[in-house]
Each structure stands twice: as C-alpha cells, then as structure tokens.
Amino acid sequence: MGPIETAIKLKEELDTLRPISIEQELRIMQKFRLDWNYHSNNLEGNSLTYGETKALILFGLTAQGKPLKDHIEIEGHNEAIEWIIDVVKGEYPLTETFIRELHKLILKESYSVDAITPEGLPTKKKIEIGQYKTQPNHVLTNTGEIFRFASPEETPALMHDLMNWYHEKNDSANFNPILLAAEFHYKFIRIHPFDDGNGRTARILMNFILMQNNFPPVIIKTEEKRTYFSALRQADSGILEPFVNLIADNLVRSLEIMIRGARGESIEEPDDFDKELALLELKLTKTDQKAEKTIEILHSLYDTSVVPLITKFIEGGKKFEKFYVKSQHVVLSNGYASYNIEMAISTVKNNITLSTTEFEMSYSYNTFIHSQYGNFNFLSQVQVMLGPNTFIIKSNRRTTNLEKSYGEQLSESEIDEIVKHELKRHKDFIESKMRSK
C-alpha cells in the first residue's frame, strides 16, 4: 500500500473517533502548531531552536544572542497559523486576496535582502509584504546555475491560472485532497509569486487545503530538508511522484499522532523529550546569565544601546514631520524630559541611578495636513524598561518584546528592526485613514 492509500485509510479511522473532545483537540493542535512553526521557519534558515521557538510562542521569552528578525519571523508565522486554524472552521474560499493577506501575516514587515540580478550580479532588493514580486527572484543553485522562476510580468496571469486550476480540481466530484494539496504546493513554488516567504506560504496553503478536508497539517521536518528540496527539484524536471509521496508520508505521521490523541493516548514523538530538555536548559541558561544591575552596567548599556536607539528613532521619525502641522520628539527618564536631544543624551546619563526604571523616547505628531483624510494625530514610542537582572525593549503594539540580560547590548540590526517597526506602524496608520475615506 502506497503512502496516499495509507493516509486515506488512517483518515477513515480518524473519522470514526470524531468528534474529538475540545481538550484533546487543543493538545494535539498545540503540538502541531509548535512543530509547524519551528520546522517551517528552520527550513528557510531561521536560527531559533525548537526550545527557543516554544519559549517565544508559549511564554514570550526571547532567545539571547539571536537576531530580532528571527523572532519576528516566528511571531508572524504563528499568527498566520492561528488565523488558518480559525478560518478553516468556516467556508472560507481560497483566493488570491486570501493568499496576499496570509503573506502579510507571515512576513509582518517589509525589509531588504541580498539578491542577484538577472545577469548574476549581487544587489539589494526591498521585500514588500502582500504584494506580488516586482523584481526577478531567481536563485543560484549548488552547481552555480541560475534557476529561474516566473518573471514579475508573468506572475499575475500565472497566479490567476493557478487559482482557476485549483477551483476546477476542488469542485470536481472525485478529487483527491492529498494530491490537490501537494500539487498546489509545487505549482505555487514554481511561480514563486512573492519576493520572499514563498516556502512558508506554500506549506501553509497546502495545509489549509488539507485541513479544509479534515486532514491534519503536514509538518516537513528540518532533518528532511535535503529530501524535501531534492523532491522539489525532481518535480521541476517533470517527476512529481517523489514530492507527492513525501507529503503523503508526512501526512501519515500527522494522522497517527492525531489518532493517538483522539484516543487519549500520548502524542509524544521519540525526540519530544529532548525538545523539552532543551527548553529547560534555555530557561536555566537565562537564569544563570542574569546579573544584577550596577551604575557601571547601566552607563554601559546607555552608551552602547540606548543612545544609538534614540538617535536612530529620532532620525527615522523626522521622515513623517512633513505630513503634520506640528511634531515634537522627547526623551524621558527619572522624571526628566528634554526636547533637545543632544542635551537630553548627556543629562539623562548624568542622572542615572540604581532606581532608574526606564528610558523612554517618543515622537508626537499633531494634525495631519491632508485634512480630506481627517485631522488625526499619532504617537510613536519606544521604552527601555530596566528590571533587576534584564532590560526589555517595548514599542507600541508589538506583541513580542525584546528581553536581554545586562551583559548584552542591542545589535545594529536589532535597533534597525525596532525603529522600522515603529515607522511601518505609522505608515500603515496613515494608509488605513486614507482607505477609510
């Protein structure tokens, strides 16, 4: 019996155990969600371990020494999965708009990455979320050849064709959901419609199709990375069977987990204990690394992390001044507030004591000059909260705060990410006001 037939047989067995109790279903889906977040992001180069991924999702703990961007990737991917789990319960159609909204959730924020030109030269390109690519996103293979995906000009028509193909298959009387999900995944990857995030988006869409048909999600594990990409390359040469079988094999594993869970049995896999041990080690390490703050430590933190953050924050915030009648930036600490940044930077440092609890920077904007969209205001704010052993960076409406021990400092890329988040939030706010009119 092949993996597709095995999966169908297991699905029939699972159906006899339904409905599954809410408690068991939540337990099963939490395992799938954690595995899915870790493995799908790790396949694309995310550096967070399974324990760090779990600590972030379940407890809001950030991993010391890991890039902020990697935390944001996990956060966005988890939000996308939670959205899929929610919408799959209803009759939510799979459309291009649905796919673009999903892509926005996964990537969260626009950013720049290294790329190559059609001629094979290195360059930089801006990754826009929820928008089809505007530049070629070909990749350099291990053999030095350039593998070419669909061009930006071809992409809208090819995505339209893909959706027509999907709906025709999905509406047919005897379609096979496993084949449909696997083929959709491959066809989507072959187009590579977005500048980045195509793999993560493809795997979520594949699972959306499976879950709409009452199958559990497929988790491509990071240790299967070579097999997975090799199967995709074989599909590029017209041999789709290895890829379909890989998907079906992993679906069998998910079905077996779900059946055990539905029966109230253990859903642990052989390596789950190692993952739990890694999480325990992470918690212990964070505890061991905590050092009590001293005046010297606070001065060092201020010079190496807070001042560069203030400078970057004010520099970025100035870009929005032209949109408002009045704007003002301020630095606050210990009850002291200054609108002169140069004076504030030196004065705040001179007033640092062990009772200092935070450094705060804010940029207020009053009365949007384009009054046809409304006379609204905006406040951008970042806080550095000082605890006994760690400091936490908080910015408006960010669901994950960055926590570090006093032995660490903010990297340049982390500062860039923090400021970029606030700038994007401001831009999105203005655009939402424009759309509402």
Side-chain angles (χ1 to χ4, degrees):
M1 186 185 298
I4 293 178
E5 292 78 13
T6 302
I8 291 172
K9 189 173 180 62
L10 287 171
K11 165 67 163 45
E12 292 171 355
E13 182 181 348
L14 177 62
D15 287 341
T16 66
L17 299 170
R18 287 183 162 126
I20 303 172
S21 71
I22 294 176
E23 182 182 349
Q24 295 292 7
E25 187 165 356
L26 289 174
R27 182 169 69 101
I28 297 165
M29 288 311 299
Q30 184 182 84
K31 174 177 172 53
F32 283 144
R33 185 163 56 90
L34 292 171
D35 288 355
W36 190 352
N37 273 303
Y38 166 65
H39 289 292
S40 193
N41 282 284
N42 194 268
L43 284 172
E44 306 299 335
N46 190 286
S47 67
L48 266 64
T49 66
Y50 184 91
E52 290 166 345
T53 300
K54 184 173 182 178
L56 176 63
I57 292 172
L58 297 187
F59 309 110
L61 295 173
T62 55
Q64 296 179 6
K66 295 295 178 73
L68 181 59
K69 182 176 181 296
D70 286 5
H71 292 85
I72 293 171
E73 283 181 353
I74 298 290
E75 183 184 70
H77 193 268
N78 186 55
E79 287 179 18
I81 291 176
E82 289 182 326
W83 183 59
I84 289 294
I85 291 172
D86 185 51
V87 300
V88 80
K89 298 171 185 174
E91 297 296 323
Y92 213 103
L94 181 53
T95 64
E96 289 186 69
T97 300
F98 177 99
I99 293 172
R100 287 194 291 267
E101 288 302 312
L102 176 65
H103 189 256
K104 288 180 184 178
L105 284 173
I106 294 171
L107 295 194
K108 289 181 76 68
E109 299 175 358
S110 299
Y111 52 91
S112 296
V113 297
D114 293 325
I116 56 171
T117 66
E119 295 77 29
L121 300 175
T123 185
K124 286 276 188 183
K125 70 176 178 182
K126 182 75 175 290
I127 305 299
E128 299 290 353
I129 61 173
Q131 299 178 25
Y132 291 151
K133 59 190 173 187
T134 56
Q135 300 179 56
N137 54 356
H138 311 314
V139 296
L140 194 64
T141 68
N142 292 333
T143 63
E145 296 289 328
I146 295 177
F147 185 85
R148 301 182 185 278
F149 296 108
S151 70
E153 295 76 21
E154 297 170 320
T155 294
L158 289 175
M159 285 300 295
H160 179 76
D161 292 344
L162 174 61
M163 300 316 299
N164 285 340
W165 171 86
Y166 164 77
H167 289 298
E168 182 181 340
K169 292 281 187 182
N170 192 50
D171 294 340
S172 61
N174 299 310
F175 80 96
N176 184 314
I178 304 171
L179 283 173
L180 178 60
E183 285 191 60
F184 186 93
H185 176 305
Y186 171 67
K187 288 177 179 289
F188 181 91
I189 285 292
R190 192 64 187 82
I191 299 171
H192 243 61
F194 298 111
D195 286 313
D196 196 17
N198 292 288
R200 283 165 284 173
T201 305
R203 289 185 288 276
I204 289 182
L205 290 171
M206 172 182 68
N207 283 335
F208 176 73
I209 295 169
L210 289 170
M211 292 164 71
Q212 274 198 323
N213 288 280
N214 294 315
F215 284 91
V218 163
I219 314 296
I220 307 294
K221 292 196 171 186
T222 186
E223 52 264 31
E224 296 177 307
K225 182 173 182 176
R226 285 190 178 182
T227 306
Y228 172 62
F229 287 118
S230 174
L232 283 171
R233 297 291 76 81
Q234 286 179 276
D236 289 334
S237 62
I239 307 170
L240 193 60
E241 185 177 2
F243 181 71
V244 172
N245 285 339
L246 175 67
I247 299 303
D249 280 332
N250 281 281
L251 182 56
V252 166
R253 182 170 60 206
S254 294
L255 282 161
E256 289 172 343
I257 290 170
M258 199 159 191
I259 288 170
R260 293 200 304 271
R263 289 174 175 159
E265 300 170 358
S266 172
I267 58 174
E268 287 190 4
E269 295 181 273
D271 60 344
D272 281 353
F273 178 75
D274 292 336
K275 295 173 184 174
E276 294 297 330
L277 206 57
L279 177 59
L280 175 61
E281 183 181 3
L282 173 67
K283 290 179 178 177
L284 290 172
T285 301
K286 288 182 79 70
T287 302
D288 291 342
Q289 289 179 347
K290 291 176 180 177
E292 289 189 8
K293 65 181 179 182
T294 64
I295 293 295
E296 292 75 17
I297 283 176
L298 290 181
H299 280 171
S300 176
L301 169 67
Y302 187 75
D303 290 337
T304 60
S305 296
V306 178
V307 171
L309 179 58
I310 292 172
T311 304
K312 195 83 173 181
F313 175 80
I314 300 303
E315 179 185 305
K318 286 181 179 178
K319 297 175 182 178
F320 287 91
E321 289 187 348
K322 58 188 174 185
F323 299 122
Y324 294 88
V325 173
K326 182 181 178 182
S327 59
Q328 193 170 57
H329 47 71
V330 61
V331 176
L332 305 96
S333 181
N334 279 5
Y336 170 82
S338 177
Y339 304 100
N340 182 305
I341 300 307
E342 289 74 21
M343 183 181 296
I345 286 175
S346 59
T347 305
V348 167
K349 182 175 180 179
N350 292 335
N351 284 278
I352 291 175
T353 69
L354 287 178
S355 62
T356 301
T357 57
E358 68 175 326
F359 304 111
E360 181 180 308
M361 58 213 76
S362 65
Y363 221 125
S364 59
Y365 305 86
N366 300 98
T367 314
F368 194 64
I369 61 173
H370 300 281
S371 56
Q372 66 269 34
Y373 299 114
N375 294 319
F376 55 82
N377 305 323
F378 187 84
L379 176 66
S380 183
Q381 188 178 54
V382 174
Q383 295 168 291
V384 182
M385 313 293 292
L386 305 175
N389 307 106
T390 62
F391 65 96
I392 299 173
I393 313 298
K394 295 178 64 177
S395 55
N396 283 5
R397 302 200 178 183
R398 188 171 212 128
T399 55
T400 298
N401 300 318
L402 180 63
E403 182 178 7
K404 285 179 170 285
S405 71
Y406 283 121
E408 298 180 289
Q409 65 184 56
L410 289 174
S411 68
E412 186 177 342
S413 63
E414 286 172 332
I415 291 172
D416 287 343
E417 289 288 350
I418 293 163
V419 172
K420 185 171 66 176
H421 167 78
E422 277 299 287
L423 298 182
K424 182 180 182 302
R425 191 174 69 83
H426 195 169
K427 178 184 75 70
D428 290 347
F429 175 78
I430 294 174
E431 289 178 342
S432 71
K433 291 291 186 182
M434 294 173 67
R435 286 194 299 269
S436 67
K437 292 295 180 179

